[in-house]
Structures are given as structure tokens and as C-alpha cells.
Amino acid sequence: KTIDNDLDLPSHVDTFGFQSARHYGVDIVKNLMVDAKTTTRWYFVIAMGRKAGHLALGIGKAAGATTTLITEEFTAPIRLKTIVDSLVGSIIKRLCDGRRDGVAIIAEGVALDVAPEDLESLASAERDAHGHTRLAEVNLGEILKAQVTARLETLGIKTTIAAKNIGYELRCADPIPFDMEYARDLGYCAAKYLVSGGNAAMVSMQGGHFVPIPFAQMIDPATGRTRVRLAETASTGYAIARRYMIRLRRDDFDDPRKLARLASTIHLSPEAFREEFQSLVSTEPRPLVLRDTL
């Protein structure tokens, strides 16, 4: 069980608990979006996901959050400035459209891939029994709030930002009907599999059918640990998620009128704005082309 949805299952098979966590996470974020709009502020919401950004992305996309940042879209080590400027770019673009509010969802695992020299607090953070940094000890939300606020001030923008962590309240929530049925199927098949002599396998349901997955197939020989399923940034689903986000995009820099509007929002010339922020579009997915395969 993991709400991170990061077990090495086929891409269309969720881990049980993920959909319940996403469901309650979406409710929280929708409420924060209303509060952000009525109070004219931004929320930086840190969602669980040590290695994979499935939960953050799932919540952000379903709720229609302003933007979502996940580890998989960046190349490690991530410079803190890149994360900060990604958020600053969203705030500027939102402001350019006349809105001073927004909600950004950030996967907690982003903290683990930030360059150590940029995030010294990681070095002294408490570690668990497995040697993992306790992400709860790294207050990523407050760090980003302070850094983004300072960056905006250099650009002449004042805004109110609130940081919020969500995770534990999702992990212990009552399951939604999907997970109730799903867990019953898994539990029944696990018991039946053991009684019939099965062993050393993870129970899975794929397309409504029981499929045992031997533990040996799930172990990464290089690490000796279970393989981690990451969010696929080359997928159609991720490309669509990015296009719903308010983020700086290639066409913002390719279209002189868009570039001029963005630049004027923070009283920069188009050339100066390009120099400050154009590097952010290097992680933008390629244009989405849907072809008829029939």
C-alpha cells in the first residue's frame, strides 16, 4: 500500500490508497483555491511523494490548481533558483491576466533533489531508520515562500504567500468506494493464492484479473530495493496537465505581444524578461499532436 502510487506496476494500475488520498487532497486544494481568490493570496501546497510526483500531479490536475511542480520534470541536482523562478513565472503570468491569487502544488520529493549547496538544511535534517531524510523536517513550503517572496520583491511585486503541507491527513483518511472494492479483491486473491501454494509475490489486479508479480521482478538489481515507478513526463496525460497550468511557455517567448505584456507586468524590457526566465521552458513537453490511429 502506498498513496505515492510508485510501485512498479503497469502504468494503468494504481496502488490501493492512491485514489482515496487524491480524492481528499482535491477537496482540500479546492477549498484553498476559494480562500486564495477571496483573500488575494497564493498557497504553496506540499504534497507527499518522496520519489514520484503522482499524488501531487493527480491532485493538481484534478483540482485545476494554478501550477504543479514534480521532481520528474527536472534534472538532478535541481538548482533552488529553478524551482523559485518556476513559481515566480507562474505568479507573473497570473498577474498579467489580472489575478493576484493562485495555488501551486509541489511534490515533497523535490527537496531531495535540490543541489545541497542550495538547501543546506537538508544536511542537518533528521533521518529515518532506513537512512532517508525525513522530509517533514525539511520545511520546503516555508523555504520556497521566503525565496519566492524575496525574488518577487526584487522585481517590484508584493504578494502574500501561505505554505501548507498535506499528507498525513490523506494517508489515514477513510477509503473511497473504489479503494474499498479494490482492497477486497486484493485481499481475497492474496489469501486464495497462499492457500493454493503461492509465495513470494505481490498481488495485483490488472484489467479485472488476478496477476501475481514475483518479488524478484520488482527488485532493482542495482540497488536491491523495489523499483520505483515515476510519473511519465513524456505521456499524453502529463502534456495535458502542463497545458492547463499557468506557467511560462515557449509561445510566451515566441509571440512578441505576449512577451511584451509579461515584461511590462514587472517593468522590464522584453529582452531583459527573456534573459531572466526563458531558461524555464527547457523542461516544457513537446507540442501535443493527436493522430488518428484507426
Side-chain angles (χ1 to χ4, degrees):
K1 173 184 179 295
T2 167
I3 65 171
D4 291 353
N5 203 30
D6 61 354
L7 292 181
D8 191 31
L9 293 163
S11 59
H12 63 282
V13 179
D14 292 333
T15 59
F16 75 88
F18 167 72
Q19 290 293 350
S20 295
R22 184 175 77 142
H23 177 88
Y24 290 107
V26 166
D27 278 347
I28 292 172
V29 170
K30 285 168 62 181
N31 290 340
L32 292 177
M33 290 167 67
V34 173
D35 189 77
K37 185 175 182 179
T38 56
T39 58
T40 319
R41 71 171 69 183
W42 272 76
Y43 278 98
F44 289 174
V45 180
I46 311 301
M48 276 188 165
R50 171 172 288 278
K51 291 289 186 181
H54 299 288
L55 185 59
L57 188 64
I59 291 172
K61 186 177 182 182
T66 316
T67 188
T68 302
L69 302 182
I70 60 173
T71 311
E72 292 91 332
E73 67 179 271
F74 302 103
T75 300
I78 309 169
R79 300 313 302 254
L80 184 59
K81 184 179 185 300
T82 300
I83 304 297
V84 169
D85 278 357
S86 295
L87 294 167
V88 168
S90 292
I91 292 171
I92 292 172
K93 190 168 182 177
R94 186 80 151 166
L95 189 60
C96 184
D97 291 333
R99 296 282 297 272
R100 301 186 63 87
D101 63 287
V103 175
I105 315 296
I106 303 131
E108 65 174 355
V110 167
L112 290 182
D113 283 337
V114 170
E117 60 269 29
D118 292 347
L119 206 58
E120 294 179 354
S121 59
L122 275 177
S124 59
E126 184 181 349
R127 296 180 182 273
D128 63 19
H130 303 287
H132 298 142
T133 300
R134 292 189 184 276
L135 292 179
E137 304 299 321
V138 179
N139 202 332
L140 181 62
E142 291 296 335
I143 292 171
L144 292 176
K145 171 185 171 180
Q147 293 285 326
V148 169
T149 298
R151 178 80 162 107
L152 288 171
E153 287 178 353
T154 67
L155 299 171
I157 297 175
K158 291 185 178 181
T159 191
T160 301
I161 300 172
K164 180 173 178 58
N165 292 333
I166 60 172
Y168 295 115
E169 61 268 51
L170 307 184
R171 194 170 67 179
C172 64
D174 283 342
I176 61 174
F178 174 88
D179 277 323
M180 291 178 186
E181 178 184 352
Y182 188 15
R184 288 185 194 280
D185 288 347
L186 292 173
Y188 184 91
C189 290
K192 192 79 171 178
Y193 185 63
L194 286 172
V195 169
S196 63
N199 187 35
M202 188 181 76
V203 174
S204 76
M205 296 294 295
Q206 301 183 27
H209 297 282
F210 164 64
V211 180
I213 304 176
F215 289 157
Q217 292 182 15
M218 304 190 69
I219 300 300
D220 184 344
T223 64
R225 297 182 177 181
T226 306
R227 289 189 180 92
V228 175
R229 178 176 63 183
L230 302 177
E232 180 52 70
T233 57
S235 68
T236 300
Y238 179 74
I240 293 171
R242 282 291 292 259
R243 279 153 181 78
Y244 274 110
M245 296 179 199
I246 306 298
R247 294 178 70 159
L248 292 177
R249 294 175 31 161
R250 290 189 185 94
D251 56 5
D252 291 323
F253 294 92
D254 294 339
D255 186 327
R257 289 176 298 179
K258 288 184 179 180
L259 181 60
R261 284 188 65 223
L262 288 165
S264 65
T265 302
I266 53 175
H267 309 293
L268 290 180
S269 68
E271 295 73 21
F273 189 90
R274 186 187 299 277
E275 184 176 348
E276 288 282 346
F277 296 106
Q278 189 169 17
S279 62
L280 296 176
V281 303
S282 62
T283 61
E284 182 185 340
R286 294 179 179 179
L288 183 60
V289 179
L290 301 180
R291 294 183 176 87
D292 187 353
T293 57
L294 297 178

